[in-house]
Amino acid sequence: MEHTENSNKCNSKSTTAKICPNNNNNNNNNHYIAFGFHHNTNNNQYHETYPPLLPLPPLLPPLQLPFPQNHNFRSRTHLHKPSFNQNHPFLATPSDFKIQQISASKVLQRQNDVSKQKYGRRVRAAATTTESVVVARRPDSGGVEGPVISLLANHFLVQFDPSQRIFHYDVEISPHPSKDIARLIKKKLVEDHSVMLSGALPVYDGGRTIYSPIEFQNNKIEFYISLPIPSSGSNKSGEIVKLQKEGQQIKLFRVNIKLISKFDGKELNSYLNKEGDDGGSPLPQEYLHALDVVLRESPTEKCITAGRSFYSSCMGGQKDIGGGAVALRGFFQSLRPTQQGLALNVDFSVTAFHESIGVITYLEKRLDFLHDISHRKTRGLTNEEKKEVEKALKNIRVFVCHRETVQRYRIYSLTEEVTENLCFQDRDGKILRIVSYFKDHYNYDILYRNLPCLQISRSKPCYLPMELCMICEGQKFLGKLSDDQTARILKMGCQRPRERKAIIDRVVTGLVGPTSGNHASDFKLQISKEMTQLYGRILQPPKLKLGDRGQVRNLIPSRHDRQWNFLDSHVFESTRVERWALMSFGGTSDQKSHVPKFINQLCQRCEQLGIFLNKNTVLNPQFEPLHLLNNVKNLESKLNKLHRASFNNLQLVICVMERKHKGYADLKRIAETSIGIVTQCCLYPNLGKISSQFLANLALKINAKVGGCTVALYNSLPSQIPRLFKHDGPVIFMGADVTHPHPLDDFSPSVAAVVGSVNWPAANKYVSRMRSQTHRQEIIQDLSAMVGEIIDDFYEELLKLPERIIFFRDGVSETQFLKVLKEELQAIRLACSRFPGYKPPITFVVVQKRHHTRLFPCELDPSTTKNTLFNENILPGTVVDTVITHPSEFDFYLCSHWGVKGTSRPIHYHVLWDENQFTSDELQKLVYNLCYTFVRCTKPISLVPPVYYAHLAAYRGRLYLERSDLSTLTRSSNISRAAPPKTTPLPKLTENIKRLMFYC
């Protein structure tokens, strides 16, 4: 049986348009316009030459709209615009059409201004209720530390006419069509009824919103539109509506258009220029959203849309990445309010789509155990194989190839019975076999009779044989990519700065980009085709503190990539590992023979770094088969045996694996929550030719996991930021992250993690807390308890409560800023209230790494031309806090790492709350210096360590749930999707483990 994803049947009516007059028009006579769809008889896209296969069940629930009608972007506050020097050409034009320029000398002159500013000027008093929370405003006109450099950013200035009115119309289409059909309907309205639309070229968001630069003739219009789209069943009256041409079916759509509101851009212009700033004016969302829809209209008509990105084969074609997936090149675009005015952020993008091939061929490519299914047509599926097939196919849209139709069907599950045994009831109540039905109606012998059919309805038996279905084109691949697929995707998207900039420039000026249509000019928009030129600064690297045989050695990373090494140096704080063991999982005899040499070389490398690793293990290396990782009970027994051999005081187990294995999750969970031992895993292929770098990496991780630290800042934080930090006033740095289950996972809990530093002033050791919480809940539900426990640990270490809390929060989108701030700031305060009279000042910073702003060295800068670094990435320490940042809020972009491959992505730091009253220079220096203290490497990392550690801890929590997730997969494949089950709590860490950085 077949079931259309969007069954658009309606009663037969005359095709008319009913126009309701304006409210201010006293004429009560309604106007009617009849029209039809003029089809091309040479185009058989819509021809229905075969009868429908089987009757269809009732309509499916409507598809989700691309984004809500009143989609919010961001809620902003104001700040007075800084004044800039007018003598330099490197700056973009603001939205009021006046040229505004900035000079390097003016940036340097800010140093004097900063020294005169009062530090307590901007942050509101701590709110007593969450309702009074307002996002922090920029404290100054930007930082001044570091030499100034010229840069380009992939932001393109968008000028708009504030007096241009936009008319917002609600459009209701019944029956609810697919996105493609909805756009066909909108296209017919524009083509055939230009007069009724006052000659306007309106834009459509694909859902229920139309924006027009001109008011339509009437406030309400009702149309009946016929489109020649085949239907597999009868309409509600039991009749099939036909066009004049015999055999051609049509569908009738009722379209109601109603004026909702009228608005201009004056409020947005005032917001961007910070006129009448009262510190609490929100961003005018309506006008900004309308302009965003305008700029997306042309790309939407020409490209495959996926989120805020567009993909097209004209940007280099598609590439097979294996496993039934192909990669397409495309671009991302987003309209953003910035200090220079409105800017269109455009970036190069690559993503994976399902390959448009037959379902059988797709399964051959996707699943290894079906690689030869086309040669073994009588093969069936075991229960476990069937679960994997269902998981691979669920929610994919397909079309049938045994008859001509443009209908699309969504796969919900597989049938319980194989095709050979599958029957259904026809309209007359007669029981028919699927195999017989296809032979009688289509003269087709089903070949794969021992495979189940596809179930294409949530609730009713609607079946399609796999071999007659094709994967629809343009579906984003939501499954987890394999390592090989990921590598191929990354390679396609890995362009050096010059190449990436050229691609972006071609997109903006190209045939499918945001400037390709006439819609922007109709709304009086002017889009610059040049990237924004601006100034950044390069922060200087901090002096680092290493060990040297009990002495302290200082080092300033002077290389261009800011990397350093341990030549003639030790880690700053080393540990002694007296009791440890080694377990081997799998491996050939030749690979196992390398183990003694590996142990010896690892001990030597540890000694060179000042770490003591006993050359004698508590037991001889334990060689186990790889499949032990599949047996949780036996694995735990083996680990307990090792633990008892060291009198329940085992410090470390090094696990050498033949290859990556899903049992890694069980190994970590058992070791850290059941037994209480630290583990360090590595792979046998790395033991064949052991490099010094490999051994050093292992040694650094082992040292950190058992309580040591790699490096510290030579000049402590109190000496660097004396206004805020004191040696005897400890400060805690906290990081938080929430990791969500896979996009196709409808039931697994999300995992939240919070980490906090517990030493001062070094601030380079972090304890962690993890919790599972409601499926896809972004707000950290148990934040108060986790923060309270970490503060307890801090107090136990230092015998003092932290005098300041600096909280870095990862994974928050701009639309969630206020919600996260209100709820999580209150949770932190609640945790502090456990201690009488304890109200430390809190700074709450959102850390965004999944954004699309890129910075490029400016080719016009004489220094970059001279040293030919234009094709290189920006240097570590590059910071930007003007022009492309928020008009009034406290944010900045910082690239703290050296990009070895591709184009560096700076991290966006956005301060939502700041009771500590940081200046731009103070916070930027703090974040950059902390990036040098990460325990796993000898170079600055790309994002502030508390967030990196929180991400690692959240991933570890996800591992603890991984096995139970696999056992409940079948629950997500039921025809009727149930509500998410009760959240499974994470197992508790043992007392000795929870105080260590076991997750790093």
Side-chain angles (χ1 to χ4, degrees), residues 303 310-321 326-331 348-351 492-493 495 499 503 506-507 512:
C303 302
F310 303 95
Y311 298 91
S312 172
S313 57
C314 72
M315 291 186 65
Q318 65 181 30
K319 180 177 180 180
D320 189 344
I321 60 172
V326 294
L328 273 177
R329 295 176 176 88
F331 63 95
F348 175 61
S349 178
V350 178
T351 198
M492 284 184 67
Q495 280 79 27
E499 184 181 357
I503 293 173
R506 287 197 297 268
V507 166
V512 298

Side-chain angles (χ1 to χ4, degrees), residues 33 35-38 187-196:
I33 300 176
F35 67 100
F37 186 98
H38 302 285
K187 184 179 179 182
K188 289 300 295 178
L189 286 175
V190 174
E191 289 177 351
D192 297 348
H193 294 277
S194 177
V195 174
M196 293 305 303

Side-chain angles (χ1 to χ4, degrees), residues 112-140:
N112 295 329
D113 298 335
V114 171
S115 64
K116 299 176 183 177
Q117 291 174 346
K118 295 181 180 179
Y119 291 116
R121 64 215 169 281
R122 81 184 179 283
V123 179
R124 299 171 180 270
T128 55
T129 62
T130 58
E131 287 76 11
S132 59
V133 170
V134 177
V135 173
R137 297 158 62 198
R138 193 177 303 281
D140 44 42

Side-chain angles (χ1 to χ4, degrees), residues 75-281:
S75 181
R76 300 302 188 193
T77 56
H78 293 292
L79 181 70
H80 292 295
K81 184 177 291 183
S83 60
F84 298 119
N85 190 292
Q86 305 291 319
N87 300 322
H88 200 286
F90 288 152
L91 200 64
T93 311
S95 61
D96 59 4
F97 303 160
K98 296 179 181 178
I99 303 298
Q100 191 175 52
Q101 298 175 331
I102 184 171
S103 72
S105 61
K106 189 63 179 181
V107 177
L108 297 176
Q109 287 171 5
R110 292 200 199 114
Q111 181 73 55
N112 295 329
D113 298 335
V114 171
S115 64
K116 299 176 183 177
Q117 291 174 346
K118 295 181 180 179
Y119 291 116
R121 64 215 169 281
R122 81 184 179 283
V123 179
R124 299 171 180 270
T128 55
T129 62
T130 58
E131 287 76 11
S132 59
V133 170
V134 177
V135 173
R137 297 158 62 198
R138 193 177 303 281
D140 44 42
S141 56
V144 297
E145 291 195 7
V148 177
I149 57 170
S150 296
L151 298 169
L152 294 172
N154 58 339
H155 287 217
F156 297 83
L157 186 69
V158 177
Q159 297 176 344
F160 66 96
D161 183 353
S163 64
Q164 171 66 45
R165 300 178 79 195
I166 293 180
F167 300 87
H168 173 197
Y169 291 89
D170 175 77
V171 55
E172 182 180 3
I173 306 175
S174 179
H176 183 71
S178 67
K179 297 175 186 177
D180 293 338
I181 300 303
R183 290 200 170 272
L184 277 178
I185 294 170
K186 178 257 180 182
K187 184 179 179 182
K188 289 300 295 178
L189 286 175
V190 174
E191 289 177 351
D192 297 348
H193 294 277
S194 177
V195 174
M196 293 305 303
L197 303 182
S198 303
L201 288 177
V203 296
Y204 178 47
D205 73 346
R208 292 198 53 158
T209 298
I210 282 180
Y211 293 112
S212 172
I214 306 173
E215 188 170 10
F216 298 162
Q217 286 189 357
N218 298 278
N219 290 345
K220 293 183 179 180
I221 311 176
E222 184 179 72
F223 295 100
Y224 283 91
I225 300 179
S226 57
L227 294 181
I229 304 172
S231 173
S232 290
S234 61
N235 58 23
K236 293 180 181 178
S237 63
E239 301 172 350
I240 295 180
V241 183
K242 294 180 180 289
L243 291 175
Q244 289 82 356
K245 187 172 178 65
E246 184 65 27
Q248 178 65 66
Q249 300 179 20
I250 70 165
K251 283 190 179 178
L252 202 62
F253 297 92
R254 184 179 65 191
V255 182
N256 286 302
I257 297 178
K258 180 174 65 175
L259 180 65
I260 296 297
S261 62
K262 313 171 187 179
F263 45 84
D264 58 32
K266 293 178 182 177
E267 285 188 16
L268 179 60
N269 189 59
S270 297
Y271 177 87
L272 294 170
N273 292 322
K274 295 173 281 293
E275 297 171 359
D277 181 21
D278 61 2
S281 300

